[in-house]
Amino acid sequence: THGDIKDALSLFSWDAEKEQDFCPAKELTDEPKEAKTEQDEEFSLWMCQVQIFFTTKFFPAYQHEKVLSKKIKENRIRDAELAELRKIKDEELAKLIAGREAEEAKKQEA
């Protein structure tokens, strides 16, 4: 929605202001400071904001998603193993119950 975009942009601008010193775009320009135009300044600010977005938001989120995917796979494998163990225990319990019922039936016949 429009409000969410405004919030994201204001947060994005806040990050850029907060991280202003962390901008390699400043290092990339070999021009003297006097030769910069307003358009160059805006572009430089935009480049800083893009880099800040990727380094502080996008890349960590991607790494987090990879970790979660790995944990989900591990959990599914573990759950399948536990289900198999439960199935084996249920079968053993059913055999034990059937054996006891057979013994009781023999006792009642005798």
Side-chain angles (χ1 to χ4, degrees):
T1 62
H2 190 265
D4 293 337
I5 293 171
K6 269 188 170 180
D7 291 341
L9 289 176
S10 66
L11 182 62
F12 193 63
S13 297
W14 179 80
D15 283 345
E17 291 169 7
K18 187 177 92 172
E19 304 279 342
Q20 201 70 22
D21 296 332
F22 177 71
C23 184
K26 291 178 182 178
E27 299 167 7
L28 295 176
T29 57
D30 293 333
E31 304 173 20
K33 288 185 180 181
E34 301 86 32
K36 281 193 170 187
T37 64
E38 184 177 326
Q39 192 175 25
D40 291 337
E41 290 287 333
E42 288 178 14
F43 180 73
S44 178
L45 177 61
W46 179 80
M47 288 291 291
C48 289
Q49 289 174 335
V50 168
Q51 181 183 10
I52 290 166
F53 167 76
F54 277 102
T55 56
T56 62
K57 305 279 189 253
F58 185 76
F59 294 140
Y62 175 73
Q63 292 297 327
H64 182 68
E65 189 272 335
K66 283 176 54 176
V67 169
L68 287 179
S69 295
K70 183 178 177 183
K71 287 188 182 232
I72 288 171
K73 287 179 184 176
E74 290 172 357
N75 286 345
R76 286 182 180 162
I77 291 169
R78 186 191 59 193
D79 290 346
E81 291 171 351
L82 289 173
E84 187 66 30
L85 286 175
R86 274 188 242 118
K87 182 180 174 184
I88 292 170
K89 285 183 180 181
D90 289 345
E91 289 172 355
E92 290 174 357
L93 184 60
K95 287 178 185 177
L96 183 62
I97 290 172
R100 287 187 181 172
E101 288 176 353
E103 287 177 15
E104 283 184 30
K106 286 181 183 179
K107 285 182 184 178
Q108 287 179 357
E109 288 177 8

